[in-house]
Amino acid sequence: MSSRPLVTMTTDFGYMDAYVASMKGVLLSINREIEIIDICHEIRPQDVFHGAFVLHTGYSFFPDGTIHLGVVDPGVGGNRRAILVQTDRYYFIGPDNGLFSYILKHEKIRSIRALENKSYFREDISSTFHGRDIFAPVAGHLTLDIPLNELGPEIDNPRILDIPEPKVDEDMLIAHVLCIDRFGNLITNVTRSFWNNQVGNRRFFIYCRMRIEKINRSYNESQPKDILAIFNSSDYLEISSNMGNAARELGLKPGSEIEIELR
Amino acid sequence: MSSRPLVTMTTDFGYMDAYVASMKGVLLSINREIEIIDICHEIRPQDVFHGAFVLHTGYSFFPDGTIHLGVVDPGVGGNRRAILVQTDRYYFIGPDNGLFSYILKHEKIRSIRALENKSYFREDISSTFHGRDIFAPVAGHLTLDIPLNELGPEIDNPRILDIPEPKVDEDMLIAHVLCIDRFGNLITNVTRSFWNNQVGNRRFFIYCRMRIEKINRSYNESQPKDILAIFNSSDYLEISSNMGNAARELGLKPGSEIEIELR
Amino acid sequence: MSSRPLVTMTTDFGYMDAYVASMKGVLLSINREIEIIDICHEIRPQDVFHGAFVLHTGYSFFPDGTIHLGVVDPGVGGNRRAILVQTDRYYFIGPDNGLFSYILKHEKIRSIRALENKSYFREDISSTFHGRDIFAPVAGHLTLDIPLNELGPEIDNPRILDIPEPKVDEDMLIAHVLCIDRFGNLITNVTRSFWNNQVGNRRFFIYCRMRIEKINRSYNESQPKDILAIFNSSDYLEISSNMGNAARELGLKPGSEIEIELR
């Protein structure tokens, strides 16, 4: 290809150490032309679902051909596999522990391979940092257009996490908080299309300290510090506090349930 | 132009989510050659003045032609305008809410436009994330050298924040803390030139727990943990603690007043 | 050279301010083709040893010819020198305060120079921010292939910090915690080769709340929340908590001692 290869990174390595930079150094040592973009390094330590969700909200905005590296890897050095997932548009490289659950559920999958060919790994492989020793080297080599089947055999049973689905009874919808963002917005598992199908034009009450009876179109339709509901930029139902921090004000966290009464 | 277009980003999106990366993906999808540099993503949530100040201290070191994207946008989805400010050297793109106040006050302005041409936006525009749906796409297209007047009409009434000015009485100068940096340095609104004009060679006492009677030339002219005054690298008067954290030790924060007695 | 010059950055400037971006702007204003990679900006404020250690764990993964900029600089504006260290593979630029101690001890040094030629500095040099005014400009010019001897005279007495070495008595090994990473792993000063030489096949007890009697090969050989010992990806002995945070659970910090009884 003529333009520089793009590699994104999503990890729980944070910003205090040289882990992220070590991976970048490995990538650039294999192919100096790689452009590296950080998606997120503040995934909660070892929280694979958190990584899966954040990656899910970010990967699709990148150009076709982008390689997405994901490393949230509590099982490093054990017997979980290392995988490459090829979709219609992208490559995903990381541990086979559910980190790519959303991709495996939502994207058109072309192939999934177990990364087994050590000639594309670093020479010495630690048992604690496969991001540097396996995933980054494979991504680096992939930008050099090696044939995929060199990397390892196809598999058909990748690990996929149970993503909690909203539960609906006749007059009750139970949503789960999937993620809390920097602003304290509570992102639930109710998508806009799920809402349209299940709630449609029915009247509803979202119970969250105050009783919310409408979906906002923008944050500042409400008064400052009002708790409100809105479909966010990824089309998930979000509980927010205008100019405030809903998570802090409501004391909710990932996994919390939110009841929505339907009339 | 021959070299790669430069786009900087200043936001309150933090590092926990995929918001920043979504904007980068949008930029690179429009023009794969863009080089993106982060100025700051840790602006206090929805604190437009904080964003304006940090952007002010960083933008001027970039090469001519750089596009500066700024997104601190509590009014997103409401009726605040989206604008492009063209100065002698740079472009600034973001919400018309005062984020570019320092630029509008200090720089030679060539034009200010309301961004209204939807053909340069993303197709679907959310009401919660114009950074991704409007500002990044416009910046991306701008690197492709579209004529500015395609983007929208000129305006002459951009929003400008009141930037607190130091107050001077015959023998009293009241400074305000504008910003606290990572080191706990208290950056005040007294610039070096204001000081030279108003204080000159007069004797002075800065009241900050201890009475400061001189301006340091370097931090380590003082003893460790001493509170000191110095003109910082942006030429603002700064109250600092050598090897310490002045904000924590003095209990001051943005907006706090500092009294300076002039003799 | 044909590929873009690489510059890494290791600083204590954090992510709240425009300090890092100012340096990047200066670099790109001198040479638009520079590729900048962050190693770490979360060095504890003014903690030179912390900076030295993190830089040490990251620099060696980068391609030959990389310029490593390091700025943890409590003595800025005083009389500490500014230096350039040239090794077999890299350049290091920063204050002469011990930040490059590991490099000076472990790498093959070609030359060390005091940076004195002001024609490669910014025009106005602040007394508080040599990262922007001296180190970044010199790094920028270095990518333009100026002769090294233009920058300043060679010196032979760079500042090197005392790096605490593990103490060994007949039957007791005292390790020191050098660094705590994002996961709360306690990284000690015992390297794998030191261990092999000094402990070899002897039985041992590491005293850390529980008595650890073996070295793990991977984190998840232990039960969740078990305290364990492992050689990390930089070959240092590390005390870790599987899926937990050893530093928090054990109440240890940089400088803490860990006793290892040898049988």
Side-chain angles (χ1 to χ4, degrees), chain B residues 31-237:
Chain B
N31 183 352
R32 190 73 169 257
E33 298 307 312
I34 294 171
E35 178 83 22
I36 305 165
I37 301 284
D38 301 309
I39 289 186
C40 181
H41 298 296
E42 292 282 7
I43 301 303
R44 278 188 303 277
Q46 285 128 1
D47 188 335
V48 176
F49 178 77
H50 186 215
F53 186 77
V54 171
L55 176 57
H56 157 62
T57 61
Y59 76 89
S60 66
F61 300 102
F62 286 86
D64 287 6
T66 296
I67 298 169
H68 295 291
L69 263 174
V71 190
V72 182
D73 196 11
V76 61
N79 53 18
R80 64 103 190 90
R81 293 175 297 199
I83 57 171
L84 166 79
V85 179
Q86 184 191 19
T87 70
D88 253 24
R89 300 182 55 198
Y90 301 120
Y91 303 91
F92 296 85
I93 294 174
D96 179 29
N97 62 8
L99 188 56
F100 303 136
S101 294
Y102 279 95
I103 284 92
L104 292 164
K105 281 194 171 173
H106 294 154
E107 288 285 329
K108 195 161 172 183
I109 305 299
R110 284 206 198 157
S111 70
I112 310 170
R113 287 176 188 279
L115 302 173
E116 294 182 358
N117 187 344
K118 290 190 177 161
S119 56
Y120 297 109
F121 300 173
R122 284 187 80 223
E123 210 157 313
D124 291 319
I125 299 163
S126 71
S127 59
T128 57
F129 191 8
H130 287 186
R132 180 193 69 188
D133 300 337
I134 296 180
F135 304 128
V138 168
H141 288 294
L142 193 56
T143 66
L144 299 173
D145 292 328
I146 52 168
L148 287 195
N149 59 16
E150 288 253 324
L151 293 169
E154 286 207 48
I155 63 168
D156 59 4
N157 57 349
R159 178 93 193 277
I160 299 182
L161 299 174
D162 284 330
I163 298 170
E165 298 293 336
K167 278 171 282 183
V168 133
D169 247 343
E170 197 133 307
D171 61 352
M172 189 61 85
L173 165 55
I174 307 287
H176 282 81
V177 176
L178 293 182
C179 189
I180 293 173
D181 74 6
R182 193 207 181 197
F183 300 93
N185 294 320
L186 299 153
I187 302 165
T188 76
N189 58 350
V190 177
T191 61
R192 191 191 292 268
S193 65
F194 182 94
W195 182 272
N196 289 344
N197 288 337
Q198 299 287 336
V199 183
N201 290 318
R202 294 170 74 179
R203 208 175 152 200
F204 61 89
F205 302 126
I206 303 175
Y207 292 101
C208 260
R209 195 183 65 189
M210 25 194 312
R211 205 173 68 174
I212 304 171
E213 303 184 25
K214 70 162 195 163
I215 304 292
N216 269 36
R217 285 182 51 81
S218 72
Y219 293 119
N220 63 4
E221 262 178 39
S222 296
Q223 297 302 309
K225 305 290 170 178
D226 268 5
I227 300 293
L228 61 95
I230 193 167
F231 283 103
N232 75 5
S233 57
S234 300
D235 272 347
Y236 285 92
L237 183 68

Side-chain angles (χ1 to χ4, degrees), chain A residues 1-6 15 35 37-43 50 54 57-58 61-64 66 179-183 185 187 217-220 230-234 238 241-244, chain B residues 4 11-29 32-36 38 41-46 74-79 122 126-129 132-133:
Chain A
M1 53 191 118
S2 62
S3 53
R4 297 212 303 164
L6 264 178
Y15 292 93
E35 178 84 22
I37 301 284
D38 301 309
I39 289 185
C40 181
H41 298 296
E42 291 282 7
I43 301 303
H50 187 216
V54 171
T57 61
F61 299 102
F62 285 85
D64 287 6
T66 297
C179 188
I180 292 173
D181 74 5
R182 193 208 180 196
F183 300 94
N185 294 320
I187 301 165
R217 284 183 51 81
S218 72
Y219 294 118
N220 64 4
I230 193 167
F231 283 104
N232 75 5
S233 57
S234 300
E238 173 182 296
S241 167
N242 184 26
M243 303 291 289
Chain B
R4 297 211 305 163
T11 79
D12 61 351
F13 292 148
Y15 292 93
M16 299 168 53
D17 308 294
Y19 299 129
V20 169
S22 301
M23 289 179 63
K24 293 181 179 176
V26 167
L27 283 166
L28 294 168
S29 295
R32 190 73 169 257
E33 298 307 312
I34 294 171
E35 178 83 22
I36 305 165
D38 301 309
H41 298 296
E42 292 282 7
I43 301 303
R44 278 188 303 277
Q46 285 128 1
V76 61
N79 53 18
R122 284 187 80 223
S126 71
S127 59
T128 57
F129 191 8
R132 180 193 69 188
D133 300 337

Side-chain angles (χ1 to χ4, degrees), chain A residues 169-236:
Chain A
D169 247 343
E170 197 135 307
D171 61 352
M172 190 60 85
L173 166 55
I174 308 287
H176 282 81
V177 176
L178 293 182
C179 188
I180 292 173
D181 74 5
R182 193 208 180 196
F183 300 94
N185 294 320
L186 300 153
I187 301 165
T188 75
N189 58 350
V190 177
T191 61
R192 191 193 291 269
S193 65
F194 182 94
W195 181 272
N196 289 344
N197 288 336
Q198 299 286 336
V199 183
N201 290 318
R202 294 170 75 179
R203 210 176 150 200
F204 61 88
F205 303 124
I206 303 175
Y207 292 100
C208 258
R209 194 183 66 189
M210 24 195 312
R211 206 173 68 176
I212 304 171
E213 303 184 24
K214 70 162 196 161
I215 304 292
N216 270 36
R217 284 183 51 81
S218 72
Y219 294 118
N220 64 4
E221 262 178 39
S222 296
Q223 297 302 308
K225 305 289 171 180
D226 268 6
I227 300 293
L228 60 96
I230 193 167
F231 283 104
N232 75 5
S233 57
S234 300
D235 273 348
Y236 285 91

